[in-house]
Amino acid sequence: MATLVYSQTGLLLYGVFRRAVIQRRFYGMSVSGKMSVNGVDLHYQRAGDGKHAVLLLPGALGSAQTDFGPQLEKLDKRRFTLVAWDPRGYGRSRPPDRDFPADFFHRDAKDALDLMQALGFRRFSLLGWSDGGITALIAAALNPKLIDKMVVWGSNAYVSEEDVQIYQAIRDVSLWSERMRRPMEEMYGVQYFRQTWEKWVDGISQFTRNPQGNICMEVLQLISCPTLIVHGAKDPMVPSCHPEYLQQNIKGSRLYVIPEGKHNVHLRYSTEFNTLVEEFLTR
């Protein structure tokens, strides 16, 4: 059962009682708060007051603050109500510390949908990046009545041995560039970031023990909402076989490739990405 709580900065949530403190924290006029869902105080960032609600789901160790700046700032606030959340153990949804049981994607999907319903949204669209895209796929497949449309990018329905080699190559965060490391260290502190990233590598690699490395292959056929799959052709984390597999197994889905895009295509090419998303969501 969801209850209202106060955020770490003392700001009252926009919740059941429709009261809010409007702030200019990260991305213009927005509301930041926490909602108690499934035993965890989940942090979210909310912007806009449009009729079309959209949930933004971040990648591994991601948060509203680190993953969706250009979307929260630039997507049309008159058309959309944007909610970007921090999954349990990520960002400001701590405690608890993050863990990675075999069902962690399904757990995130339930948390995300329950958060949106607790905030009063009966139906909404999903924008999921990387791990957040996997979460979105599961959420849309298992809860079709709640989901209007879906956009996913940098995501996969299975893990191959090639994928594990990619993950292991970036396991040691001390080898990352300072530009890549700094936002995470500022969010989590050096030790929590390092330890949790190593846990993530182990957590995502565990799926290779499943037949065909399955994460959510069996539920893709259940997805009925209009789905846009975006892929950066130069993504070093997600080979092109993954978005192609999604497009082949999600009925009626569309694949859009950004030739120079990498894993963070929504950040590096935010104008093109945002235009694409707005057109898809409002079509």
Side-chain angles (χ1 to χ4, degrees), residues 238-260:
V238 180
S240 61
C241 59
H242 288 298
E244 291 168 359
Y245 181 87
L246 295 178
Q247 195 275 327
Q248 292 164 6
N249 287 275
I250 299 174
K251 184 177 180 180
S253 61
R254 171 189 171 198
L255 174 59
Y256 183 94
V257 178
I258 298 179
E260 297 300 314

Side-chain angles (χ1 to χ4, degrees), residues 48-188:
D49 57 2
K51 293 182 179 181
H52 192 149
V54 183
L55 174 63
L56 288 71
L57 301 97
L61 277 73
S63 65
Q65 178 180 349
T66 58
D67 287 15
F68 292 119
Q71 286 67 55
L72 290 169
E73 181 179 3
K74 296 297 186 179
L75 287 177
D76 192 340
K77 309 298 191 304
R78 296 164 299 178
R79 292 181 176 180
F80 306 113
T81 296
L82 307 170
V83 178
W85 79 309
D86 300 358
R88 64 171 68 203
Y90 287 171
R92 297 174 63 202
S93 293
R94 294 177 288 147
D97 287 349
R98 180 69 179 193
D99 62 352
F100 299 93
D103 66 343
F104 72 90
F105 283 119
H106 284 76
R107 181 183 64 184
D108 284 349
K110 177 173 173 51
D111 283 348
L113 296 182
D114 289 351
L115 171 64
M116 289 297 282
Q117 291 183 293
L119 291 172
F121 299 107
R122 299 179 61 184
R123 189 173 174 86
F124 44 90
S125 291
L126 303 173
L127 299 186
W129 177 36
S130 195
D131 274 20
I134 301 173
T135 300
L137 293 170
I138 295 170
L142 301 183
N143 302 271
K145 293 182 179 181
L146 296 178
I147 308 305
D148 187 8
K149 297 184 177 183
M150 175 169 60
V151 182
V152 296
W153 65 104
S155 305
N156 46 300
Y158 64 89
V159 176
S160 69
E161 291 298 334
E162 177 187 358
D163 296 323
V164 172
Q165 293 176 13
I166 294 172
Y167 306 147
Q168 291 294 339
I170 56 172
R171 181 187 185 93
D172 186 353
V173 297
S174 69
L175 301 178
W176 293 18
S177 69
E178 182 182 359
R179 179 179 62 85
M180 295 296 293
R181 214 172 48 239
R182 185 187 305 120
M184 291 297 189
E185 291 180 344
E186 289 177 350
M187 171 65 72
Y188 294 112

Side-chain angles (χ1 to χ4, degrees), residues 1-7 11-20 31-37 40-42 44 46 115 118-120:
M1 180 177 179
T3 58
L4 286 173
V5 296
Y6 284 89
S7 71
L11 297 174
L12 187 65
L13 306 193
Y14 184 103
V16 177
F17 300 107
R18 299 294 182 186
R19 291 180 294 165
V31 174
S32 178
K34 288 192 173 185
M35 183 73 76
S36 181
V37 176
V40 178
D41 292 341
L42 296 176
Y44 66 92
R46 176 171 174 163
L115 171 64
L119 291 172

